[in-house]
Amino acid sequence: MPDDQPLPLLDRLSALLGPRGILTDPADLEPHLADWRLLYRGRTPCVLRPANTAELAEAVKLCAAAGVPLVPQGGNTSMVGGGVPDEGGRQVVVSLARLNRVRDIDPLDMTMTAEAGVVLKAAQDVAAEAGCLFPLSLGAEGTATIGGVLSTNAGGNTTVRYGNARELMLGLEVVLPDGQIWNGLRRLRKDNTGYALRHLFVGAEGTLGFITAAVLRLYARPKESEVALCAMRDEETALALFRRFRDRDETAVRAFEYMSGTGVGFYARLIEGGSVPLSTPAEHYVLVDLASTRPDAGLRPLLEAVLEEALEAGEVLDAAIGESEAQRAAIWRIREEHPEAQKREGASVKNDVSVPVSRTPELIRRASEACRRLIPGVRPVPFGHMGDGNIHMNLQQPEGMDPAAFLARSHDIMETVNEIVRDLGGSFSAEHGIGRLKTDMMEGWRGGPELAVMQRIKRAIDPQGLMNPGKVLP
Amino acid sequence: MPDDQPLPLLDRLSALLGPRGILTDPADLEPHLADWRLLYRGRTPCVLRPANTAELAEAVKLCAAAGVPLVPQGGNTSMVGGGVPDEGGRQVVVSLARLNRVRDIDPLDMTMTAEAGVVLKAAQDVAAEAGCLFPLSLGAEGTATIGGVLSTNAGGNTTVRYGNARELMLGLEVVLPDGQIWNGLRRLRKDNTGYALRHLFVGAEGTLGFITAAVLRLYARPKESEVALCAMRDEETALALFRRFRDRDETAVRAFEYMSGTGVGFYARLIEGGSVPLSTPAEHYVLVDLASTRPDAGLRPLLEAVLEEALEAGEVLDAAIGESEAQRAAIWRIREEHPEAQKREGASVKNDVSVPVSRTPELIRRASEACRRLIPGVRPVPFGHMGDGNIHMNLQQPEGMDPAAFLARSHDIMETVNEIVRDLGGSFSAEHGIGRLKTDMMEGWRGGPELAVMQRIKRAIDPQGLMNPGKVLP
């Protein structure tokens, strides 16, 4: 089918999905052509908006029979161009936005069945109304959808305690590339009956089919929490503090975030009301967030005792404990505003990498040094989830350098960081996935038998190659 | 190749593996022909015992080229005949017993890399020596191996707190059916780089390749624990007690086991020294095991407070708290000796089933009633992991009935139980897997698109069908 030829199925799809179920007006297509980072801007003949799983399945059958490639789309918050069509104009976008029901919630079972189009924040709210917690939490939660966070196995701040999206999923409903519906919405903690297909669809970024609904695990709501900001002597003592907390109470650490003095400095200088509750600037900081479902957990004495030990050992240089909800939020804001502060300071190159938790200090130190050698004056701004090994190893342009000239070095910077990541047994994509942006890195990082098996699985499940073409696999 | 013709590869395999690496003497083959339940007794021309992953890979290449089917074997503790050859005499057994090194352990990273042949108990011990906990725990832990518990996604008593074997695994090394080695021994908490192949091999029961080593997650060792035996009013209040504990401290419950009055009665009557620390017999019991990594967790007051509430509410009829390590072990023994007590009481039919946690009371009640209607006088002995929904819904023969006549009704009993399990959204195999015993149930329970996708994956990864033929897939 050559580019821009009208989609021959349009009449049949319109009859199937009705006027609300298909968009063809260019103005209506516009929001579906690019993700929020605007990395790519594609074209599509139409956007399908099925009302339910059965409608989607019928539409997929029609498209499969006609050889029409499909691009599943959730909240368009991909960091790697995972949910947008290419420039060819043939790929049909399928929005799951109308599959937005929470089908059931069971606080005794601690499960919730939510459709793909339910926004993450809405899922959190439904859980909260039932007295439970759906713990997945990330910056884009007001827009990202359940289908999207499962398809990308999203991470976020609380992975150290609750795991990634994968660990919060018990069962799936999937529309396969041939339009068959697999109802795997089981709510079981134990079910050893053949291959774990659900784990194949989670993280497949829509290249093996459409996740249309999922059984999600719920947790109890914490009744007590504490947040502290600590100035640390160096990278090693930052990790040592994590271990001190973990040794004292393995389950209490809800988040353990590292920040550099450079990043905290940007925040203080560039964000309105951006104050830091410690008087002397340091080169290294951590944010500790403790939580417990016990009302009498004694987190405050635990926090104080650990900090005192670490202060005496010279590991913690200074620390501030949030004394109110507002103060705790203000500490979290230092971490959350890092991307915005970086943006205001000029051009930056982002690396979403992970290493074994024990190697995070070495990653931060070695990658910072290597980038400084590569580009004199470059300002490393590493921050992120030290407790799970996922550091956003970002680099800020040297002061006064032309932003475009700096960005022209992006590839060199990424290569420099990734060489160290590889040496430390790490990953080039920790929580953002592959999408379109990183497909050309798959051969170098996952090549050989691993990529070959992935490709065989892709061909086995999607023999026509119609599901989200050009994503994940090279 | 007709039965019993000498394996043409024997000379080449002998040259490759050396005298310790291949067994052909009938007496040496004997222990490898049947699992411990003696469900099936097969034949094999030889048993391969490679010394390391590279040797295994070369042996697999030779066998793949010659079309020789292979049966991976761990500790031979399968409940479903998963690790033994069939009666045809062509299938070559491959024992992973010599791959028995713990390659490394990192208490800061909280990971351990263990080879497939490491016995589960040995892995627990190595973790303990490093001050950590490898929490997977099950009856066969003195014999079962890491390769086996991962290939079957083993569960056990602590799933409610730590998850199944799957959740305790971060990375794998696998020898594929064509003899290629996939090194996926990554120690990462976050790694979103294509399809999650490791989750496909876990639970595949050796039908997709050989798991040769794994990166395992470690936890902190509990510093405080409490165990109580409670006599409960009925099935519903048993589950309600679980909820009371969970609401008070979500992370404290390490195990929550249901037992029937019948099973506890068998224990008291048939096991040497089998005393029950409660004076009045009840129809329903639970064993609660609480643990915390905090030395000051206050588990005892928590336990007493919850039991007092439940006593006042009339839910708990009586309770005994273990006052010493010996008393706690004695309470656990009531649960652990259930299989032995059942054996001494005569013939029984076992069902390893699971339902959503919230439906466990209904499962126990309905399945017991239905079996009593089916066979008047039958004695239901349900017990097991109420906290994760996995009930061993066992049935003891009526008193005085001929055991063989009772066992002749096995199929009817299983059908009766499974009909209720299905109605409650449950699974016909919770933690024991499919093996050879349950392959004929796959079509009825997982048939349609789910089984079709599994079969396509099998063909994609093992196109010759040489890996553990006759297991898992019908």
Side-chain angles (χ1 to χ4, degrees), chain A residues 72-208:
Chain A
Q73 199 170 81
N76 270 348
T77 61
S78 173
M79 302 291 284
V80 289
V84 289
D86 69 8
E87 294 80 1
R90 287 187 60 219
Q91 299 182 348
V92 168
V93 170
V94 183
S95 166
L96 282 291
R98 289 173 70 202
L99 279 76
N100 61 357
R101 288 186 310 137
V102 172
R103 293 190 192 165
D104 68 61
I105 182 163
D106 182 344
L108 182 52
D109 202 37
M110 293 298 245
T111 57
M112 170 166 77
T113 306
E115 293 183 343
V118 173
V119 169
L120 175 52
K121 181 71 172 63
Q124 294 167 355
D125 290 346
V126 171
E129 281 159 29
C132 305
L133 173 76
F134 181 59
L136 192 70
S137 172
L138 39 87
E141 64 194 27
T143 313
T145 61
I146 293 299
V149 297
L150 287 172
S151 290
T152 57
N153 186 29
N157 298 332
T158 59
T159 302
V160 62
R161 169 73 185 88
Y162 298 102
N164 291 292
R166 178 184 304 288
E167 281 81 42
L168 300 172
M169 170 275 319
L170 290 174
L172 292 182
E173 179 186 80
V174 171
V175 171
L176 295 164
D178 62 4
Q180 286 195 83
I181 299 169
W182 168 44
N183 182 344
L185 290 174
R186 298 195 279 271
R187 307 193 293 167
L188 304 173
R189 260 68 178 181
K190 285 183 176 169
D191 173 37
N192 284 342
T193 54
Y195 307 151
L197 297 189
R198 66 188 193 283
H199 283 293
L200 205 49
F201 292 101
V202 169
E205 305 187 30
T207 62
L208 298 176

Side-chain angles (χ1 to χ4, degrees), chain B residues 87-374:
Chain B
E87 294 80 0
R90 287 189 60 221
Q91 298 182 349
V92 168
V93 170
V94 183
S95 166
L96 282 291
R98 290 173 71 202
L99 279 76
N100 61 357
R101 288 186 311 138
V102 172
R103 292 190 192 165
D104 68 61
I105 183 162
D106 182 344
L108 181 52
D109 201 38
M110 291 299 245
T111 57
M112 170 166 76
T113 306
E115 293 183 342
V118 173
V119 169
L120 176 52
K121 180 72 171 61
Q124 294 168 355
D125 290 346
V126 171
E129 281 159 30
C132 305
L133 173 76
F134 181 60
L136 192 70
S137 172
L138 39 88
E141 64 194 27
T143 314
T145 61
I146 292 300
V149 297
L150 287 172
S151 289
T152 57
N153 187 28
N157 298 332
T158 59
T159 302
V160 62
R161 169 73 184 87
Y162 298 103
N164 292 292
R166 178 185 303 287
E167 280 82 41
L168 300 172
M169 170 276 318
L170 291 173
L172 293 181
E173 179 187 80
V174 172
V175 172
L176 295 165
D178 63 2
Q180 285 195 84
I181 299 169
W182 167 45
N183 183 343
L185 290 173
R186 299 194 279 271
R187 305 194 292 167
L188 304 173
R189 260 68 177 181
K190 286 183 176 169
D191 173 36
N192 285 340
T193 55
Y195 307 152
L197 297 190
R198 67 188 192 283
H199 283 293
L200 204 50
F201 292 101
V202 169
E205 303 186 31
T207 62
L208 297 176
F210 293 84
I211 293 175
T212 52
V215 178
L216 304 172
R217 291 185 68 154
L218 304 178
Y219 284 84
R221 296 190 69 74
K223 296 194 188 76
E224 197 181 288
S225 72
E226 294 287 345
V227 176
L229 179 72
C230 312
M232 306 302 302
R233 195 176 68 206
D234 53 24
E235 298 90 342
E236 280 74 18
T237 48
L239 183 61
L241 186 64
F242 175 60
R243 189 175 188 178
R244 283 185 188 275
F245 281 107
R246 198 182 57 192
D247 287 352
R248 284 290 272 268
D249 186 347
E250 181 176 48
T251 60
V253 181
R254 179 165 61 179
F256 192 90
E257 301 280 312
Y258 172 88
M259 292 175 283
S260 69
T262 309
V264 172
F266 290 174
Y267 170 80
R269 181 156 51 80
L270 299 168
I271 302 294
E272 300 76 20
S275 72
V276 177
L278 295 172
S279 47
T280 317
E283 282 185 51
H284 308 274
Y285 294 88
V286 296
L287 181 162
V288 190
D289 186 321
L290 307 178
S292 173
T293 59
R294 288 182 65 164
D296 57 346
L299 292 180
R300 184 57 180 263
L302 183 146
L303 177 62
E304 288 173 352
V306 169
L307 290 181
E308 200 167 322
E309 274 175 28
L311 273 159
E312 275 173 25
E315 298 173 5
V316 168
L317 307 178
D318 197 1
I321 298 176
E323 297 290 349
S324 63
E325 207 46 61
Q327 285 190 5
R328 287 190 280 272
I331 292 175
W332 260 110
R333 196 166 165 239
I334 305 172
R335 163 65 184 84
E336 299 287 5
E337 293 283 4
H338 259 56
E340 182 60 28
Q342 278 207 271
K343 201 167 156 184
R344 296 187 186 181
E345 180 65 14
S348 65
V349 174
K350 298 175 192 289
N351 295 283
D352 169 45
V353 298
S354 64
V355 293
V357 176
S358 57
R359 315 304 286 273
T360 47
E362 196 177 343
L363 169 69
I364 295 169
R365 191 185 295 272
R366 283 177 59 187
S368 298
E369 286 167 5
C371 289
R372 284 196 195 98
R373 278 195 304 272
L374 181 73

Side-chain angles (χ1 to χ4, degrees), chain A residues 292-304:
Chain A
S292 173
T293 58
R294 288 182 66 165
D296 57 347
L299 294 179
R300 183 57 179 263
L302 183 146
L303 177 62
E304 287 173 353

